[in-house]
Amino acid sequence: QFIPRLQKWESSCRKMIKGEQKMNDFIYHNPVKVYFGKNQLCHLGEELSKFGKRVLLTYGGGSIKKIGLYDKVKSEIKKSGLELFELSGIQPNPRIDSVRKGAQICKDKKIDVLLAVGGGSTLDATKYMAAGACVDFDPWDFFSKWAPIEKALPVITIPTLAATGSEMNGGGVISNPETKEKIGRSSPVLLPKVSFLDPTNTFTVNSYHTACGSVDIMSHIIEVYFAPEPDLYMLDTIMEGLMRTVIKYAPIAMKEPDNYEARANLMWSSSWAINGFIDGGKQHEWSCHPIEHELSAIYDITHGLGLAILTPRWLEYCLDEHSVEKYYQFGTNVFGIDPNIEPMTVAKKSIDMLSEFFFDTLGLESSLSKAGAQEKDFSFMAKRACRGGIIKGFKPLGQKDIEEIF
Ligand code: NZQ
Ligand code: ZN
């Protein structure tokens, strides 16, 4: 049964090549310079110096001090004769207040370059500080009024958690506790100039955040992999390889936090899952992310946990006779399910195996109620997730669909 299915897939690829099936043109341009590995921090001073003398170092609640990275970074900055300013206390699900503070420091201290050291929250907030420094209006206008993001100060990043891929993309998601909103945007001007990816900096990430980060990586791939139209076969196989990498190494990293091989594989996968490469010409909207952002906005849930709970339910909701092929491909190529099994059974089994991976292997909570969500908010969150319209993703989703998924 596998062979006819493969033939069907190949024939759809042939149609694409002949132009019978739509395959979109695309531009791929990712100029982020990456230093990967254990011995690269010696280049930090030289990279920062390219942009000026006055550096704003940003970080979160203090993990970078505990892991000794703060001292190392400071010493490199000192060696290069740069002037250092600091902003700490950036919270998970980063708040607009941190962005406002950072943008103001940039203006007051005439900062030349920002150095974000931490998880995705620190990196995201720093990008918007860099953009906020170049405008006269409140940085929340980037989200509430969709103000154009045309300019930003240069940002260099040192990620300490494998998850968001923020180190290699121009995106960022910011929360506003006053309005209970969490909104993401991206712009090429927010792409970091340089990122230092040292897997040893992630050795201290605890089991829970390693699990949540791994789900986030999986979700970034799944959002693209499950698309209404096929794109390049080559990209599908790369996505399958990335997903298998996360499935293989996340449990190892949880059991052996200082396993370099596991941490390195997760770290580089996290960057490639969301740096634009796997998108090819796909133009559909993401589904689970806008829905999850509502959970984080209202209950301050960890992003990866929300995604873990939603993704298998969303896959279940989208499964039908038209979409079953994609699940078959996912089940056989990612989870190694016997290709001779009937497709609908493979599809359901693939969802079960994904759930087992999230909830048993990674040990995450499996229900919204256990994560603190309340049914009374579902309708409101669903409406906001689709902005009162339709999410044009793998399956079009309106408010009622999203309520069902919740
Ligand atoms: O604040 P500190 O003390 O640094 O502690 C953090 C935080 O408590 C801790 N941590 C980070 N590195 C550590 C560490 N603890 C020990 N050792 C280390 N090496 O981990 C906790 C979580 O950090 P956070 O930055 O919030 O995690 P993550 O990297 O998962 O970022 C999540 C945020 O990124 C957004 C999410 O919505 C969420 O707000 N996203 C950003 C994206 C992007 N820019 O492209 C895409 C994603 O889909 C996502 O939406
Ligand atoms: Zn994500």
Side-chain angles (χ1 to χ4, degrees), residues 60-64 67 90-94 118-122 124 127 160-161 163-166 169 171-173 182 201-206 209 213 216 220 274 286 289 292-293 303:
S63 70
I64 70 157
I67 67 178
I90 298 166
Q91 289 163 283
N93 294 325
S121 296
T122 295
D124 283 7
K127 289 175 180 175
T160 60
L161 201 164
T164 65
S166 187
N169 68 44
V173 195
K182 180 174 179 182
N201 286 333
T202 65
F203 282 179
T204 49
V205 176
N206 64 26
H209 283 296
D216 196 19
H220 296 155
I274 182 174
W286 286 18
H289 270 69
E292 193 295 311
H293 287 164
H303 176 58

